Amino acid sequence: MSQKAFDELDHLQALIAQAGHRIEVDILLDVRYHNQVFPVHCITLGSKRVDAPVLAFFGGVHGLEKIGTEVILAYLTTLIESLDWDYELMTRLEQCRLVFVPIVNPVGVYRGTRSNANGVDLMRNAPVDGTGRFRLYSGHRLTRRLPWYRGDESQMEAEAEALCRVVRQHLFSAPVAMAIDLHSGFGIQDRLWFPYASKRAPFPHLAETFALKALFDRTYPQHVYRIEPTSNEYVIHGDLWDYLYDEFNLNRSDDQFFLPLTLEMGSWLWLRKSPLHLFYRHGWFHPLLPHRRQRILRRHLILFDFLIRALLNPAAWARSSASLRKTHHEQAMRLWYGHD
Ligand SMILES: [Zn+2]
């Protein structure tokens, strides 16, 4: 029997071949699945300095939501093509580093499943217990046959460990670092989520996050995102970003900043326009019509460009005076946590 195609991995490997020496490629892990081996690639562009600011992109944590992988591959194509002629981009990349792990969970993307080959939901797999009101989707250890299974308590899954290694290596030493993890399938709006996901409490860099949102709102008043803590929508166990953020926060120096963002693309938007897609499992998480897919592949370029510019200009949002920081914190508490 011939093996089924793996378009996203083929696309990524073609891009790596095309980019040649202009990018660095690491194989984080080889994931075995029956008689096949799928590599997990990490691609870096730009400054190699340990103290360079860093923006990192992650996709395919939930294999079924593979539009995230496609958005990253489309953006990588644009960047690699631009490296041929755009000197302004090259100047930017001398000052910062971009990191990409487009297919964190290759078996999931290949099979079209949320979990990895062991039936584990990687975004429920970190050793963090949430506090709040729980549903099955918050994560459980009942059985790997149900979705949202957290996996073994004593050992994280290899794909989740690989993601953590990348974050520790590239982001924990940076003066300013951001990560953006691309998902789809929740609601009718594109959401940008920040910690915490495990509890309904403000995270330590709330003031800077509010300042970043204010900067985005005033620079791009037409942007499409609802920006909020994940816990505004639900509380979960095992969130990798809560786990990594808390580890960073324990060890960081005073002026270091790390913001993990989740881009949750509102796929009900494309379902609402084509309700028949409810009958296809992929339709819930992935736009099936070509024009809709094209639109999503270009929809987030403004956000990515903004994040790089924000990374290179932290004075505009991440380096405020103590009094301005206090004001931002109070405004954030009113906006997101219902404080008067
Ligand atoms: Zn997801």
Side-chain angles (χ1 to χ4, degrees):
M1 202 178 75
S2 65
Q3 277 161 359
K4 133 176 145 72
F6 194 162
D7 295 340
E8 295 78 12
L9 186 59
D10 292 347
H11 186 178
L12 174 58
Q13 283 171 332
L15 274 176
I16 289 170
Q18 183 197 345
H21 67 276
R22 290 172 294 184
I23 62 172
E24 294 241 326
V25 184
D26 276 328
I27 306 284
L28 301 172
L29 176 72
D30 282 320
V31 184
R32 287 177 195 286
Y33 179 63
H34 297 302
N35 57 348
Q36 300 184 77
V37 178
F38 299 136
V40 178
H41 293 91
C42 177
I43 292 173
T44 53
L45 278 83
S47 173
K48 293 184 174 58
R49 292 174 55 135
V50 283
D51 61 348
V54 177
L55 174 62
F57 297 78
F58 299 88
V61 168
H62 291 143
L64 186 55
E65 302 160 15
K66 61 181 182 168
I67 186 70
T69 295
E70 292 188 20
V71 168
I72 294 176
L73 294 177
Y75 184 48
L76 261 174
T77 304
T78 300
L79 285 173
I80 289 167
E81 289 293 338
S82 304
L83 286 174
D84 278 342
W85 57 272
D86 182 349
Y87 287 93
E88 195 266 342
L89 174 68
M90 290 176 220
T91 309
R92 278 189 195 181
L93 287 174
E94 282 166 15
Q95 301 164 62
C96 68
R97 181 161 64 255
L98 303 182
V99 177
F100 299 87
V101 186
I103 309 177
V104 173
N105 172 12
V107 174
V109 175
Y110 178 72
R111 294 196 308 178
T113 57
R114 180 179 173 92
S115 63
N116 70 357
N118 298 330
V120 175
D121 184 333
L122 300 176
M123 205 36 78
R124 303 289 185 278
N125 187 228
V128 177
D129 288 330
T131 53
R133 193 158 155 235
F134 288 103
R135 305 268 162 81
L136 197 62
Y137 62 68
S138 305
H140 63 84
R141 292 205 171 93
L142 301 172
T143 163
R144 66 183 73 240
R145 284 195 291 272
L146 286 170
W148 310 293
Y149 177 64
R150 293 183 67 185
D152 193 332
E153 200 166 358
S154 58
Q155 177 64 50
M156 272 167 77
E157 295 297 299
E159 300 91 334
E161 287 280 15
L163 182 151
C164 293
R165 280 202 304 279
V166 169
V167 172
R168 289 181 188 122
Q169 181 192 342
H170 288 286
L171 286 82
F172 280 14
S173 54
V176 183
M178 288 189 268
I180 181 158
D181 178 18
L182 281 74
H183 291 250
S184 65
F186 186 88
I188 57 165
Q189 203 176 5
D190 289 333
R191 289 155 199 271
L192 264 181
W193 281 335
F194 58 84
Y196 285 116
S198 60
K199 57 190 167 194
R200 188 81 190 116
F203 87 123
H205 281 115
L206 187 66
E208 288 79 2
T209 306
F210 181 87
L212 183 69
K213 177 191 182 294
L215 187 65
F216 194 28
D217 289 350
R218 81 172 192 264
T219 314
Y220 293 96
Q222 298 82 16
H223 79 70
V224 296
Y225 304 94
R226 181 180 171 91
I227 303 171
E228 59 185 359
T230 314
S231 63
N232 259 22
E233 301 303 333
Y234 50 60
V235 178
I236 62 172
H237 295 300
D239 184 87
L240 290 171
W241 298 112
D242 279 21
Y243 171 65
L244 286 163
Y245 178 82
D246 280 346
E247 182 182 316
F248 162 82
N249 196 44
L250 275 178
N251 302 301
R252 72 187 172 93
S253 58
D254 280 348
D255 54 355
Q256 267 191 299
F257 175 83
F258 166 45
L259 175 61
L261 293 168
T262 297
L263 169 57
E264 186 76 31
M265 288 174 269
S267 63
W268 299 356
L269 194 65
W270 60 76
L271 273 179
R272 194 171 56 173
K273 290 178 181 162
S274 327
L276 280 176
H277 288 176
L278 279 171
F279 295 108
Y280 303 98
R281 187 167 58 128
H282 281 286
W284 281 90
F285 305 99
H286 197 80
L288 295 175
L289 297 176
H291 71 276
R292 207 152 281 151
R293 183 171 160 272
Q294 297 268 320
R295 204 177 296 154
I296 292 159
L297 296 188
R298 60 178 182 257
R299 183 177 173 91
H300 304 288
L301 295 175
I302 285 174
L303 171 68
F304 300 161
D305 189 60
F306 170 77
L307 291 178
I308 295 177
R309 289 156 65 205
L311 190 73
L312 293 173
N313 297 281
W317 59 284
R319 298 280 183 256
S320 301
S321 65
S323 68
L324 188 55
R325 198 174 181 280
K326 183 166 176 286
T327 306
H328 287 154
H329 183 83
E330 287 164 0
Q331 289 172 315
M333 291 303 288
R334 276 198 295 276
L335 177 63
W336 287 312
Y337 296 91
H339 279 227
D340 291 324

